[in-house]
């Protein structure tokens, strides 16, 4: 059995071969390149959006800082109105007057002012009562509250010292 290929069949096979080569190049080379190009253009678009967002943040930074400073001043003004921080001289005067009113003589006083960057933290009272730390004890920070540490050496009668303790 012999197969006769006519001139027409040869031309069809040549055209079919050319179509297959073009189709193979398109599928194998051009489509992956087009997909890569699309991915890169999406990444470029995302990067440009991110760049614009960051530029807007940089531009708005001075305004934000100004608003933050103003808010901080406003907060301090409000806190001073409701929660004034006593100066060490005022604490000294108050405690000395209290001691004198109770009939006690103050021999020595030491006042340590608080660190105004950290709020007061009070320990768990059950720890103070039992003298040990309980399993689920935690210290609680009180926003806006500062405490000064005061040490006083006083002399006087037992009743006067007890009156001072009762007052304070």
């Amino acid at each position: 059995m012999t197969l006769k290929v006519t001139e027409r069949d040869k031309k069809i096979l040549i055209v079919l071969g050319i179509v297959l080569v073009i189709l193979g190049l398109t599928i194998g080379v051009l489509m992956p390149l087009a997909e890569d190009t699309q991915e890169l253009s999406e990444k470029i678009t995302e990067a440009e959006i991110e760049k614009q967002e960051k530029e807007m943040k940089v531009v708005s930074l001075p305004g934000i800082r100004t608003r933050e400073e103003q808010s901080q001043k406003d907060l301090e003004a409000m806190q001073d109105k409701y929660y004034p921080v006593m100066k060490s001289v005022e604490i000294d005067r108050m405690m000395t007057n209290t001691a004198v009113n109770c009939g006690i003589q103050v021999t020595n006083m030491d006042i340590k002012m608080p660190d105004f960057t950290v709020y007061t933290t009070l320990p768990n009272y059950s720890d103070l009562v039992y003298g040990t730390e309980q399993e689920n004890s935690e210290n609680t920070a009180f926003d806006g509250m500062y405490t000064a540490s005061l040490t006083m050496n006083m002399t006087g009668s037992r009743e006067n010292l007890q009156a001072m303790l009762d007052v304070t």
Side-chain angles (χ1 to χ4, degrees), residues 10-27:
K10 286 181 185 178
K11 288 180 183 176
I12 291 174
L13 286 174
I14 289 173
V15 169
L16 185 62
I18 292 172
V19 168
L20 285 176
V21 167
I22 291 173
L23 187 62
L25 283 175
T26 302
I27 292 174

Side-chain angles (χ1 to χ4, degrees), residues 23-149:
L23 187 62
L25 283 175
T26 302
I27 292 174
V29 175
L30 296 178
M31 288 192 66
L33 285 176
E35 289 174 4
D36 290 344
T37 304
Q38 185 178 0
E39 287 176 16
L40 288 175
S41 66
E42 288 174 2
K43 287 181 181 178
I44 289 171
T45 305
E46 290 173 7
E48 287 174 350
I49 291 171
E50 185 178 343
K51 178 185 171 191
Q52 288 175 348
E53 289 174 354
K54 288 184 179 181
E55 286 175 349
M56 297 220 7
K57 287 179 182 178
V58 167
V59 168
S60 65
L61 185 62
I64 291 172
R65 284 189 178 152
T66 308
R67 282 194 304 266
E68 179 190 16
E69 290 170 2
Q70 185 60 40
S71 297
Q72 188 65 33
K73 288 177 185 176
D74 293 345
L75 176 64
E76 288 173 5
M78 283 188 252
Q79 285 179 339
D80 288 343
K81 181 178 177 182
Y82 294 104
Y83 304 107
V85 177
M86 294 177 71
K87 297 181 175 121
S88 62
V89 174
E90 295 169 332
I91 296 171
D92 183 346
R93 189 177 306 128
M94 179 182 70
M95 294 306 292
T96 303
N97 287 340
T98 305
V100 169
N101 290 339
C102 291
I104 297 174
Q105 181 182 5
V106 178
T107 57
N108 188 13
M109 183 184 303
D110 182 33
I111 301 172
K112 292 181 184 159
M113 293 305 288
D115 176 13
F116 292 108
T117 60
V118 180
Y119 290 131
T120 297
T121 302
L122 296 179
N124 190 342
Y125 286 111
S126 63
D127 294 345
L128 294 175
V129 171
Y130 298 115
T132 60
E133 208 170 290
Q134 305 299 315
E135 285 181 24
N136 40 343
S137 72
E138 40 181 79
N139 294 338
T140 306
F142 292 92
D143 292 346
M145 181 185 285
Y146 302 104
T147 55
S149 176

